[in-house]
C-alpha cells in the first residue's frame, strides 16, 4: 500500500488525525479528509464523470437545463436550484456549480453502541438518483467518533457542552468548505475543460435526532417548539393544513444578540460549525437545508398498519 501510495501520489487522499479537546478535559481523535482533494479526485475520475451518470436534461458546466421543462425530477429541477446557482455562479462561463448532497447520522458497529461513529458523507448533486444511491460515488469527509464513550457520571457534562464538542469536531470539515467558498472556489480540469469549482451544500440528509444536533435544536424533554425549523406548538402538529411560521437565518442571527433569544426558539447557545457555510437556501440557511425524513416525522412503517 505504501509503494502504491507513493507511486501514484495518493498521499492527499489519506485522512489527517486531529486531536480535539473536549469539555470534560479529555481529547478525541477525529479522522478528517481533505475536502478539496476528495472533490478533485472525484471530478478527475473518468469512471465517475460519465454522461450516463449525470442527471437527465442537465448541463454540468452551466448548471442549467439543456431543454426547457417544467417537470419536477432531479435536484436541478427543484425550486432552490436556480437561486443557488445564480448566487454562487452567476453568468461566469468558467464557473462549475458543485452542490453537495450530504448525509450525517450515527451508526453502531457493535451490539451495545459503544463502537459507534457518525460519518459525514457527500455526493455531487449533478449525479442522477441511481448514482447518488450508489456508495461508490460517496465522498467521506470525516468520521465523528463516539464522544460519550467511557464517560461515567463522575464528570458532569451538560447537553450544551456535549453538543459543542460535536460541533468542534464537525468544524474541521465545515471550515474547509468555508475556506473554499471564501477563496472563490478552486480551479481544476473536468472532462477536458478547465473550470473554477463553486461549492455549496444543497441539503443534508439524516434523521430527526441528527438534524436537531446539527441545527442545535433542543433534543430532549418537551421543548415549546417540537420541530427544529418552525414555531408550531405541540397541539398544532396534527393539523392537516400546516400554518407554520418558519424560522429564518435572520431570526437566528437576531436571537443571538439577547441572552434568552436562542432559548426562546428552542435552540442551544453553541458555536455552530455550520454558521458561515454556503447553503442553497438563502432565506432559511441551515434550517432550510435539513429536510424531514419520513420514518420518524410521518411514521413510515406504521402507516401501512
Amino acid at each position: 500500500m505504501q509503494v502504491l501510495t507513493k507511486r501514484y501520489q495518493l498521499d492527499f487522499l489519506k485522512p489527517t488525525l486531529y486531536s480535539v479537546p473536549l469539555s470534560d478535559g479529555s481529547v478525541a481523535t477525529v479522522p478528517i479528509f481533505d475536502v478539496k482533494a476528495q472533490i478533485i479526485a472525484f471530478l478527475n475520475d473518468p469512471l465517475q464523470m460519465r454522461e450516463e451518470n449525470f442527471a437527465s436534461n442537465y448541463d454540468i458546466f452551466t448548471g442549467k437545463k439543456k431543454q426547457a421543462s417544467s417537470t419536477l425530477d432531479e435536484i436541478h429541477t427543484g425550486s432552490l436550484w436556480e437561486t443557488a446557482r445564480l448566487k454562487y455562479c452567476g453568468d461566469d462561463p468558467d464557473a462549475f456549480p458543485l452542490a453537495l448532497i450530504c448525509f450525517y447520522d450515527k451508526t453502531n458497529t457493535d451490539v451495545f453502541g459503544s463502537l459507534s461513529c457518525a460519518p459525514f458523507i457527500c455526493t455531487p448533486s449533478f449525479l442522477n438518483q441511481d448514482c447518488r444511491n450508489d456508495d461508490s460515488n460517496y465522498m467521506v469527509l470525516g468520521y465523528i467518533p463516539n464522544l460519550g464513550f467511557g464517560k461515567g457520571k463522575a464528570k458532569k457534562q451538560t447537553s450544551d457542552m456535549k453538543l459543542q464538542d460535536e460541533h468542534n469536531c464537525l468544524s474541521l470539515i465545515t471550515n474547509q468548505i468555508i475556506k473554499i467558498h471564501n477563496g472563490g472556489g478552486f480551479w481544476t480540469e473536468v472532462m477536458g475543460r478547465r473550470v473554477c469549482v463553486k461549492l455549496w451544500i444543497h441539503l443534508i440528509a439524516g434523521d430527526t435526532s441528527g438534524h436537531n444536533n446539527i441545527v442545535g435544536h433542543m433534543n430532549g424533554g418537551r421543548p415549546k417548539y417540537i420541530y427544529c425549523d418552525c414555531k408550531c406548538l405541540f397541539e398544532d402538529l396534527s393539523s392537516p393544513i400546516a400554518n407554520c411560521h418558519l424560522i429564518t437565518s435572520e431570526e437566528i442571527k437576531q436571537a443571538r444578540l439577547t441572552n434568552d433569544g436562542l432559548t426562546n426558539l428552542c435552540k442551544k447557545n453553541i458555536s455552530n460549525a455550520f454558521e458561515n457555510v454556503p447553503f442553497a437556501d438563502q432565506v432559511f440557511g441551515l434550517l432550510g437545508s435539513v429536510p424531514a425524513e419520513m420514518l420518524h416525522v410521518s411514521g413510515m412503517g406504521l402507516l401501512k398498519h
Side-chain angles (χ1 to χ4, degrees), residues 3-185:
V3 171
L4 288 172
T5 300
K6 183 177 181 180
R7 173 64 180 83
Y8 293 104
Q9 299 177 0
L10 299 175
D11 286 289
F12 66 95
L13 291 178
K14 294 197 300 185
T16 301
L17 300 180
Y18 288 89
S19 297
V20 179
L22 304 180
S23 56
D24 66 348
S26 61
V27 176
T29 301
V30 186
I32 300 294
F33 294 86
D34 187 320
V35 173
K36 182 178 176 181
Q38 291 284 317
I39 293 172
I40 290 176
F42 189 98
L43 295 178
N44 293 166
D45 188 345
L47 296 178
Q48 291 172 310
M49 297 298 293
R50 294 185 296 177
E51 194 68 36
E52 57 266 32
N53 291 347
F54 302 152
S56 60
N57 195 28
Y58 178 75
D59 186 331
I60 64 166
F61 292 105
T62 64
K64 299 178 181 179
K65 299 175 184 177
K66 292 180 179 178
Q67 298 176 343
S69 172
S70 58
T71 302
L72 188 62
D73 184 19
E74 296 282 6
I75 300 294
H76 69 281
T77 66
S79 57
L80 272 182
W81 178 261
E82 185 57 20
T83 303
R85 191 199 66 80
L86 280 173
K87 177 175 175 59
Y88 298 117
C89 298
D91 295 320
D92 184 353
D94 294 323
F96 182 89
L98 181 58
L100 298 180
I101 308 300
C102 300
F103 174 82
Y104 181 69
D105 191 18
K106 182 180 289 186
T107 181
N108 295 331
T109 59
D110 69 327
V111 176
F112 306 103
S114 299
L115 302 177
S116 64
C117 74
F120 195 90
I121 301 169
C122 70
T123 191
S125 69
F126 58 71
L127 297 177
N128 58 43
Q129 184 174 340
D130 289 339
C131 288
R132 294 200 309 274
N133 288 334
D134 184 348
D135 59 11
S136 66
N137 292 315
Y138 297 169
M139 292 176 279
V140 180
L141 304 185
Y143 295 100
I144 310 304
N146 181 5
L147 301 178
F149 179 69
K151 303 289 196 302
K153 296 184 178 180
K155 295 182 179 180
K156 294 291 184 180
Q157 283 180 288
T158 65
S159 59
D160 289 34
M161 292 165 65
K162 293 177 182 178
L163 187 59
Q164 186 62 70
D165 288 341
E166 183 176 358
H167 275 260
N168 289 345
C169 296
L170 282 168
S171 66
L172 296 171
I173 299 171
T174 57
N175 284 346
Q176 294 185 64
I177 298 175
I178 295 169
K179 183 178 179 181
I180 292 172
H181 170 66
N182 291 342

